[in-house]
């Protein structure tokens, strides 16, 4: 499609405004960047509304806009797992995240690694949890990067240089502003995306006379969950649902909250975003029913719908939304990975006496390192496949830290040996499982299409329990801090 | 209400209910009929839960935790 100069102006205005907000974040709410919590967590001062925008920007990203319609287009009803797991996560977070928040705030923890170090008095356990977090962030950021490639393509930009420019700018504003940057830019990102999605749904819904005809035309075989994928659907929804707090980028938003009450209220109001996912999945069905997608490239499902039904000036608005919907979360994700590197590798192993000012300095450097690593990762051909699966790899690895981060809050006598051995078994199994399917998916066809993360967690917990029995019978000392509340 | 029974209600509403109705009952709700406005059961059932679940969380927040009071 042909874009006019005005269209390009609209596009750059929105992207530019978002970037400007990211930089302005450095002056927002009286920051004192000699303190690490001021930079990483925005000083733990965000109220319900900011956290809602921030976490919304973080969770509902270019991924939702591209891969949810894409997966609905190619896989049908199976994609509804993504609408389900939010409804499983938020209430779970209501109980679990508030407890974690209390512990973290009292002891001044910035990352999950900080907590694990304190809980088990073990640098190794903290390192493993942190490395898992860092490694899981790379495909996730790469996914944000790859997610916008077709927008850049469609608008006639050279893709690789555009990636590099866009994400180095992201790294720059995150380095400067810390969490305040993405928090402020998320306001613009979410407002644009809400406007775009509601407009698209209402316009297309009225245009087609409701979505009933779309379902009727496709037939149950496409819009229902295939029976052979039922185990995959259940395990993927469960695994994704219970692992959210393990994502370093989401933890940053939770810990940036001003109080526990902010987290509780957000577990009530964040699910509103789930409405997007169901409607976006329907957009994938619309693309299929109307046969809009050229060459059956599933990632083009949503863009094709836009291009078919809307004028170019609206299409660029949506495109800008997709681009900032990729940049803002990439910023948060790189920030959270950078703080793990600083706190749990640099401070723990390289410079134990690093002042808070030095920590802020190194975090700023590591933001660039993480972004550049992700850019390289995004060039790997595998990353450009069905991008919807990329995220499920991160979930699978992160799930293996569940005992260390979540279980350990409730199970006081849990010891570090069991946790480490369990993690090892789970991680090996997940990696082996992904290897057996050539990293092309995360459901294992040789085991009822079960989700690799849940199988890993099951093995993880089994090994953990066995190790725990041994630790107890050998009467090895078990470290448990008294004030775990 | 004793603190213990409150914890139990919380866990049931916030963990047991969504796991049962949204995850483990998937083979039961994965069906076409009854339709609503042309939407297959699977789709409108899950759409409805996008609203039911926050309502349950709100009930816990407002009545079990007494909304913001410590």
């Amino acid at each position: 499609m042909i874009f006019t100069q005005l269209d390009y102006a609209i596009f750059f205005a929105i992207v530019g405004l978002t970037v400007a907000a990211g930089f302005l974040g450095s002056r927002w709410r009286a920051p004192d960047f000699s303190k690490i919590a001021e930079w990483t967590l925005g000083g733990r001062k965000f109220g319900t509304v900011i956290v809602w925008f921030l976490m919304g920007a973080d969770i509902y990203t270019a991924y939702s806009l591209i891969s949810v319609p894409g997966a609905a287009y190619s896989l049908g009803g199976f994609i509804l797992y993504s609408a389900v797991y939010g409804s499983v996560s938020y209430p779970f977070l209501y109980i679990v995240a508030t407890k974690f928040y209390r512990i973290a705030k009292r002891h001044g923890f910035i990352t999950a690694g900080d907590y694990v170090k304190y809980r088990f008095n073990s640098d190794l356990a903290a390192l493993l949890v942190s490395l898992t977090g860092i490694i899981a962030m790379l495909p996730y950021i790469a996914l944000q990067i790859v997610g916008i490639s077709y927008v850049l393509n469609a608008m006639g930009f050279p893709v690789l240089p555009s990636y590099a420019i866009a994400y180095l700018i992201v790294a720059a504003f995150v380095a400067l502003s810390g969490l305040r940057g993405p928090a402020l830019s998320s306001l613009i990102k979410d407002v644009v995306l809400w406007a775009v999605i509601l407009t698209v749904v209402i316009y297309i819904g009225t245009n087609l006379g409701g979505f009933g005809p779309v379902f009727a035309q496709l037939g149950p075989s496409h819009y229902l969950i295939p029976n052979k994928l039922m185990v995959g659907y259940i395990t993927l929804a469960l695994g994704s649902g219970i692992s959210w707090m393990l994502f370093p980028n989401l933890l940053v938003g939770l810990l940036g909250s001003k109080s526990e009450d902010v987290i509780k209220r957000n577990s009530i109001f964040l699910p509103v975003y789930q409405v997007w996912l169901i409607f976006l999945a329907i957009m994938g069905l619309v693309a299929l029913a109307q046969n809009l997608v050229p060459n059956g490239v599933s990632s083009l499902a949503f863009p094709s719908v836009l291009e078919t039904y809307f004028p170019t000036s609206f299409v660029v608005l949506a495109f800008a939304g997709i681009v900032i919907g990729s940049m803002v979360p990439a910023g948060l994700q790189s920030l959270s990975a950078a703080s793990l590197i600083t706190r749990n590798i640099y401070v723990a192993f390289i410079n134990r006496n690093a002042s808070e000012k030095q920590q802020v300095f190194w975090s700023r450097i590591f933001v660039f390192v993480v972004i550049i690593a992700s850019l390289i990762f995004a060039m790997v051909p595998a990353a450009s496949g069905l991008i919807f699966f990329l995220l499920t790899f991160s979930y699978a690895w992160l799930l293996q830290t569940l005992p260390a981060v979540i279980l350990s809050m409730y199970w006081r006598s849990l010891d570090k040996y069991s946790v480490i051995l369990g993690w090892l078994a789970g991680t090996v199994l997940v990696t082996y499982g992904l290897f057996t399917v050539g990293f092309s998916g995360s459901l294992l066809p040789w085991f009822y299409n079960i989700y690799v993360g849940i199988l890993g967690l099951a093995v993880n917990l089994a090994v953990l329990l066995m190790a725990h029995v041994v630790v107890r019978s050998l009467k090895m000392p078990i470290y448990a801090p008294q004030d775990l509340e | 209400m004793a603190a213990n029974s409150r914890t139990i209600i919380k866990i049931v509403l916030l963990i047991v209910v969504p796991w049962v109705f949204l995850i483990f009952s998937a083979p039961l709700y994965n069906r076409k009929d009854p339709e609503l406005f042309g939407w297959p059961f699977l789709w409108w059932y899950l759409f409805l839960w996008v609203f039911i679940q926050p309502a349950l969380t709100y009930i816990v927040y407002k009545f079990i935790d007494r909304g913001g009071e410590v």
Side-chain angles (χ1 to χ4, degrees):
Chain A
M1 77 189 310
I2 311 295
F3 295 103
T4 65
Q5 278 184 335
L6 177 69
D7 296 339
Y8 282 102
I10 295 173
F11 178 84
F12 280 112
I14 292 172
V15 175
L17 206 62
T18 310
V19 169
F23 281 110
L24 276 178
S26 69
R27 295 154 166 264
W28 188 37
R29 301 186 162 203
D32 171 10
F33 287 142
S34 63
K35 302 264 193 315
I36 182 77
E38 282 283 323
W39 185 84
T40 317
L41 301 178
R44 301 184 209 267
K45 280 193 295 229
F46 294 129
T48 308
V49 177
I50 302 288
V51 171
W52 186 79
F53 275 110
L54 184 65
M55 295 194 64
D58 201 11
I59 300 164
Y60 304 97
T61 61
Y63 155 76
S64 325
L65 295 165
I66 300 304
S67 71
V68 169
Y73 176 88
S74 56
L75 299 171
F78 183 79
I79 190 56
L80 286 173
Y81 97 88
S82 68
V84 164
Y85 76 74
S87 308
V88 173
S89 275
Y90 295 119
F92 185 69
L93 285 181
Y94 184 99
I95 293 178
V96 177
T98 46
K99 185 172 175 76
F100 192 87
Y101 178 88
R102 279 200 297 277
I103 299 173
K105 189 165 186 174
R106 168 191 276 210
H107 298 283
F109 300 149
I110 307 279
T111 67
D114 292 352
Y115 161 76
V116 172
K117 161 90 174 87
Y118 171 83
R119 168 66 178 81
F120 294 103
N121 191 26
S122 162
D123 278 324
L124 178 64
L127 178 71
L128 297 177
V129 167
S130 306
L131 281 180
T132 310
I134 295 163
I135 299 212
M137 280 299 99
L138 290 183
Y140 204 1
I141 302 171
L143 179 151
Q144 307 299 350
I145 295 174
V146 174
I148 65 167
S149 59
Y150 81 88
V151 167
L152 300 174
N153 245 326
M155 296 194 67
F157 299 125
V159 173
L160 294 187
S162 310
Y163 277 164
I165 294 169
Y167 292 96
L168 289 176
I169 294 174
V170 168
F173 79 63
V174 171
L176 185 72
S177 314
L179 189 61
R180 287 173 172 82
L184 205 53
S185 56
S186 71
L187 303 181
I188 298 170
K189 177 249 158 192
D190 282 6
V191 167
V192 171
L193 284 183
W194 273 106
V196 166
I197 290 174
L198 290 181
T199 310
V200 170
V201 167
I202 293 168
Y203 179 80
I204 295 188
T206 43
N207 203 299
L208 299 176
F211 296 113
V214 177
F215 288 112
Q217 195 186 333
L218 290 174
S221 63
H222 191 79
Y223 64 66
L224 292 185
I225 307 159
N227 278 330
K228 78 179 177 79
L229 292 183
M230 195 46 93
V231 174
Y233 173 89
I234 290 173
T235 49
L236 193 55
L238 183 64
S240 314
I242 58 179
S243 75
W244 274 20
M245 204 182 91
L246 304 169
F247 274 90
N249 54 321
L250 292 178
L251 200 56
V252 160
L254 291 169
L255 295 183
S257 305
K258 166 169 81 177
S259 68
E260 254 177 74
D261 205 43
V262 168
I263 298 175
K264 288 183 176 174
R265 278 192 231 157
N266 265 294
S267 60
I268 300 169
F269 294 113
L270 267 171
V272 181
Y273 278 96
Q274 302 284 116
V275 172
W276 285 16
L277 299 181
I278 290 187
F279 281 124
L280 284 167
I282 293 179
M283 290 305 129
L285 300 184
V286 169
L288 186 67
Q290 309 283 324
N291 196 17
L292 305 178
V293 182
N295 308 322
V297 182
S298 62
S299 294
L300 294 178
F302 187 56
S304 311
V305 169
L306 289 172
E307 289 175 13
T308 309
Y309 290 96
F310 293 92
T312 55
S313 47
F314 182 81
V315 173
V316 288
L317 186 73
F319 278 9
I322 292 171
V323 170
I324 59 181
S326 149
M327 291 169 73
V328 175
L332 273 159
Q333 289 151 7
S334 59
L335 177 143
S336 61
S339 59
L340 283 170
I341 301 176
T342 307
R343 299 279 294 184
N344 307 112
I345 296 178
Y346 175 74
V347 175
F349 295 99
I350 299 170
N351 180 3
R352 277 191 178 270
N353 303 316
S355 68
E356 294 214 3
K357 219 169 171 170
Q358 281 171 309
Q359 293 182 32
V360 173
F361 172 79
W362 282 104
S363 299
R364 286 174 158 165
I365 303 283
F366 290 136
V367 166
F368 282 93
V369 174
V370 171
I371 285 278
I372 290 168
S374 308
L375 277 169
I376 295 168
F377 192 95
M379 311 293 162
V380 175
S384 53
L386 197 62
I387 64 172
F388 135 78
F389 277 118
L390 212 48
L391 186 60
T392 62
F393 299 170
S394 294
Y395 275 107
W397 281 311
L398 279 168
L399 263 182
Q400 311 314 319
T401 65
L402 184 113
V405 180
I406 295 180
L407 213 53
S408 67
M409 291 195 293
Y410 299 93
W411 184 359
R412 307 200 63 124
S413 66
L414 187 60
D415 65 288
K416 63 180 176 186
Y417 308 101
S418 313
V419 165
I420 291 172
L421 285 174
W423 175 89
L424 190 67
T427 303
V428 167
L429 192 106
V430 166
T431 312
Y432 169 76
L434 290 175
F435 179 76
T436 60
V437 293
F439 289 89
S440 63
S442 54
L443 305 182
L444 303 177
W446 44 269
F447 202 95
Y448 309 103
N449 285 307
I450 194 174
Y451 173 47
V452 68
I454 285 287
L455 190 61
L457 185 63
V459 171
N460 182 335
L461 291 174
V463 169
L464 181 147
L465 285 174
M466 283 188 287
H468 189 66
V469 170
V470 173
V471 166
R472 295 226 113 173
S473 65
L474 293 178
K475 301 218 163 34
M476 291 162 81
I478 290 173
Y479 180 86
Q482 287 308 303
D483 52 346
L484 204 62
E485 185 47 54
Chain B
M1 222 175 345
N4 237 348
S5 63
R6 273 202 227 160
T7 310
I8 292 169
I9 296 175
K10 253 162 89 166
I11 291 175
V12 167
L13 286 183
L14 298 181
I15 296 180
V16 177
V17 165
W19 286 26
V20 168
F21 284 89
L22 289 166
I23 296 185
F24 297 124
S25 60
L28 300 177
Y29 66 65
N30 182 30
R31 48 193 289 154
K32 174 177 178 285
D33 293 312
E35 290 186 357
L36 189 69
F37 305 117
W39 287 44
F41 183 73
L42 168 71
W43 288 71
W44 70 256
Y45 175 81
L46 291 181
F47 190 72
L48 208 60
W49 271 93
V50 170
F51 303 95
I52 296 173
Q53 186 54 58
L56 293 179
T57 313
Y58 180 77
I59 289 168
V60 169
Y61 177 75
K62 200 73 193 174
F63 301 103
I64 314 289
D65 282 356
R66 312 247 171 83
E69 291 172 40
V70 181

